[in-house]
Amino acid sequence: MIIDDFITRYMRYKTRQYFSLPGMTEACPPETPDGPVHLYIHIPFCSQLCPYCSFHRVLFHEQQAKVYFGALRKELGMYKERGFEFSSVYIGGGTPTILMDELLKTLLVIQEMFSPGEISVETNPDRLTRDILSSLASMGVKRVSVGIQTFDDDLLRAIGRYDKYGSAEQLKTRLIEAQGIVDTLNADMIFNFPAQDRGMLERDLDILEEIAPDQITFYPLMISDFTRTKMQSIMGMGEKGKERLFYSIISSRLEGSYEPASAWCFSRSPATSSPATSSPATKKMIDEYIVNSQEYVGIGSGAFGLVGSSIYTNTFSLEEYVTRIDQGLLPLSFQRQFSARELARYAFLMDLFGMRMDPRIFRERHGRGIWQMLGPETLFFMIIGGIRMDSGVLRLTDAGRYYWVIMMREFFIGVDNFRDYNRRAAGIDVE
């Protein structure tokens, strides 16, 4: 627990440094990379806002969404004109499938301009229909990630998803009926709700074992500073140490049928997958596209990108986003220039979250070896048993997987805090 607390506090301190306005400058258009990079597209619209969510999202209005999708397609064209190429695409939200005609038009533009090898799309349970999934598959979508969160009816009511998306039994039925239409169907789950006990988690795992989706992503509950008070008023205070126990239960229950594709994402093992499964577990796309993407472009309001040595964000104001696009300008807001060591730390965090880091690739990417650039960090995690050297590659140990859950939890909370600040500055309610 002492080590867990130390890692938590250190990551909280570092993310506040990295994602704070004093370290940001006005963004400049990114330089065109030498080769293809990843593309993230943000769709902020939701029919109802969940109290725990700190992503950039707004209530759905059809006309506003149509205008927004039109601006997205123009922004895609701007990057094409600048010579960008995209090898893979992740479309997140919000609810990307909330206006299917517009999403399909956008996917068609993506295919015509960039012909990416992989496309992943997020959706919600009410959009998990055969017609929608078949339409997405026809546009080259290989992976669909659906937000389930939990199969416990009481928890679903507490977080406002029961009336919106249905009971646990309805969610289970939708997942079963959705299988086999796209290459990878991922079930997004959350663990460590304050009101969640071990029995609730075990029942979630029982249902998942029965459904056997292609992939399961189990996030720890991540609450920004702005949403913490509201969540505590709904569910109370969480029990310290429960997160580690729950993560251990999840890992042990999924072991054998699933393999870790990241510290918190589990893909079906080849031995337990159907013959139609097209790729090994560790090669499938995951929600954390930043793990496998050294550089990525973010388009849409509030989207983040990392190109070269700078991370940047688009404006969080939907009105400003559309206006700038109509003026022929990229809708950039802030950027932060990272030092060589900061970029190396970022690679260390992301690569090992994906279970492994090759020191040879690290040296090629950063110009110096990992011991030269990150000696103290590497030594620390080796001493506490978080990483080990195996056949010339650094790998996460079983203990290290939970250490990386802690670090990624704090990383994303830091990003969420930055999102919330910008949403408030843009006049968007975050309460």
Side-chain angles (χ1 to χ4, degrees):
M1 289 296 292
I2 294 175
I3 293 174
D4 296 356
D5 288 344
F6 173 77
I7 294 172
T8 297
R9 291 176 184 275
Y10 179 80
M11 281 300 296
R12 195 167 294 169
Y13 168 73
K14 296 305 289 186
T15 54
R16 282 174 180 165
Q17 279 188 321
Y18 295 152
F19 298 102
S20 62
L21 282 184
M24 299 284 181
T25 61
E26 187 174 344
C28 299
E31 293 186 8
T32 306
D34 293 334
V37 298
H38 181 81
L39 172 65
Y40 172 75
I41 299 175
H42 191 70
I43 313 296
F45 302 100
C46 285
S47 58
Q48 181 179 323
L49 306 184
C50 297
Y52 57 86
C53 179
S54 292
F55 285 99
H56 180 37
R57 74 269 191 263
V58 296
L59 284 173
F60 172 68
H61 296 285
E62 184 172 347
Q63 184 56 38
Q64 184 184 38
K66 286 183 176 180
V67 172
Y68 181 85
F69 271 101
L72 276 181
R73 293 189 285 271
K74 292 178 183 177
E75 191 180 4
L76 283 168
M78 291 179 186
Y79 278 101
K80 182 65 176 178
E81 290 173 1
R82 295 177 66 85
F84 281 74
E85 292 296 333
F86 301 120
S87 55
S88 55
V89 180
Y90 189 99
I91 306 177
T95 310
T97 54
I98 200 163
L99 206 55
M100 276 300 294
D101 288 349
E102 293 294 328
L103 177 60
L104 293 175
K105 288 179 189 177
T106 305
L107 287 167
L108 180 61
V109 169
I110 290 169
Q111 291 288 11
E112 290 175 345
M113 288 185 178
F114 306 107
S115 300
E118 295 179 310
I119 302 176
S120 181
V121 174
E122 291 180 355
T123 192
N124 278 318
D126 60 331
R127 314 296 292 167
L128 201 64
T129 67
R130 180 165 291 273
D131 285 348
I132 286 177
L133 294 177
S134 297
S135 296
L136 293 174
S138 70
M139 286 293 177
V141 174
K142 303 290 187 185
R143 178 180 179 274
V144 171
S145 182
V146 56
I148 299 296
Q149 321 311 13
T150 178
F151 291 102
D152 185 89
D153 285 343
D154 289 338
L155 281 180
L156 289 170
R157 289 188 183 95
I159 60 176
R161 294 178 71 88
Y162 183 92
D163 291 336
K164 184 178 177 183
Y165 298 127
S167 66
E169 192 61 35
Q170 290 171 310
L171 297 179
K172 175 183 169 182
T173 299
R174 286 173 181 157
L175 272 177
I176 291 172
E177 293 177 349
Q179 293 197 90
I181 303 174
V182 294
D183 286 1
T184 303
L185 180 66
N186 174 69
D188 258 5
M189 306 293 294
I190 294 177
F191 70 97
N192 202 35
F193 287 108
Q196 186 180 36
D197 60 32
R198 179 169 182 163
M200 293 174 180
L201 177 64
E202 295 276 13
R203 286 191 291 276
D204 280 354
L205 287 160
D206 288 342
I207 293 172
L208 288 169
E209 287 179 348
E210 182 181 349
I211 299 170
D214 304 308
Q215 194 177 70
I216 302 168
T217 302
F218 250 113
Y219 301 99
L221 182 66
M222 294 177 278
I223 306 173
S224 73
D225 293 345
F226 286 114
T227 59
R228 192 176 308 278
T229 301
K230 184 171 186 178
M231 280 300 294
Q232 288 176 352
S233 70
I234 294 172
M235 291 190 171
M237 297 284 289
E239 180 184 340
K240 191 172 183 180
K242 191 174 69 172
E243 182 188 81
R244 172 182 271 277
L245 171 64
F246 281 11
Y247 181 76
S248 175
I249 293 169
I250 292 164
S251 297
S252 62
R253 286 284 302 270
L254 296 180
E255 185 178 357
S257 299
Y258 289 83
E259 295 178 359
S262 76
W264 63 42
C265 178
F266 304 84
S267 292
R268 288 284 297 278
S269 302
T272 60
S273 299
S274 68
T277 300
S278 60
S279 57
T282 54
K283 296 299 182 183
K284 289 183 177 179
M285 292 185 77
I286 61 177
D287 282 351
E288 287 70 41
Y289 56 87
I290 52 181
V291 171
N292 299 318
S293 306
Q294 181 181 351
E295 294 182 283
Y296 50 94
V297 167
I299 79 164
S301 175
F304 285 80
L306 176 62
V307 180
S309 59
S310 293
I311 192 167
Y312 69 88
T313 179
N314 280 355
T315 176
F316 283 73
S317 166
L318 270 65
E319 293 76 14
E320 183 181 351
Y321 173 77
V322 172
T323 298
R324 288 179 66 84
I325 292 291
D326 287 344
Q327 292 172 345
L329 302 171
L330 288 176
L332 303 171
S333 181
F334 297 110
Q335 78 177 59
R336 190 186 195 282
Q337 185 84 16
F338 287 119
S339 68
R341 194 157 188 265
E342 287 171 336
L343 280 175
R345 281 178 175 161
Y346 178 83
F348 184 79
L349 175 65
M350 295 303 165
D351 286 2
L352 281 164
F353 180 71
M355 304 302 295
R356 67 192 299 274
M357 167 178 268
D358 190 329
R360 292 166 296 184
I361 295 175
F362 181 94
R363 180 181 288 275
E364 291 173 5
R365 186 187 300 174
H366 300 282
R368 287 185 290 167
I370 189 167
W371 285 104
Q372 291 174 286
M373 297 197 74
L374 301 175
E377 293 92 333
T378 305
L379 181 62
F380 170 77
F381 282 108
M382 281 190 163
I383 289 173
I384 66 172
I387 58 177
R388 61 184 172 85
M389 188 68 75
D390 179 17
S391 302
V393 175
L394 281 174
R395 299 182 189 275
L396 279 189
T397 65
D398 289 344
R401 283 165 54 192
Y402 181 64
Y403 296 147
W404 255 256
V405 166
I406 293 173
M407 290 194 289
M408 290 297 284
R409 178 194 71 206
E410 293 304 317
F411 174 84
F412 282 120
I413 288 174
V415 173
D416 286 344
N417 285 335
F418 183 74
R419 285 193 185 105
D420 282 348
Y421 177 89
N422 281 278
R423 284 166 52 78
R424 287 167 67 99
I428 301 169
D429 183 24
V430 298
E431 300 300 329

